[in-house]
Amino acid sequence: ACGETGGACPGFCGVGNACCRFQSTKDPPECHGIVAWGSKEEHTCVAPTAPYLFVNHFAEDCWQPCNGAGYCEDWCGQGNAC
């Protein structure tokens, strides 16, 4: 459902979640440090331990690009706000 690869997969796993495989050395950083696995046999949806990995422009001033506070997917990333 996520293209046979690990990592962010908001379309299937939901915003802020990732598709990861237990002990995979090929999966991206958002798959490291996971403590709860739905399956250890195949890729499964998980909640990353470092949610900042899903925020574009993390810790940057978003006021100008987002025209003030509020929902700002274009600058902050899918499901994120300023």
Side-chain angles (χ1 to χ4, degrees):
C2 289
E4 301 291 322
T5 60
C9 186
F12 185 77
C13 294
V15 173
N17 295 315
C19 183
C20 303
R21 186 178 181 113
F22 182 69
Q23 295 184 335
S24 172
T25 58
K26 297 177 183 177
D27 281 351
E30 57 264 39
C31 293
H32 301 172
I34 304 299
V35 294
W37 294 90
S39 170
K40 292 185 178 180
E41 313 301 317
E42 57 196 8
H43 276 89
T44 188
C45 295
V46 296
T49 58
Y52 65 85
L53 292 167
F54 292 101
V55 178
N56 297 339
H57 306 281
F58 182 73
E60 292 181 32
D61 184 355
C62 60
W63 195 260
Q64 195 77 28
C66 294
N67 296 317
Y71 185 71
C72 187
E73 187 174 76
D74 289 343
W75 175 261
C76 298
Q78 186 174 4
N80 297 315
C82 178

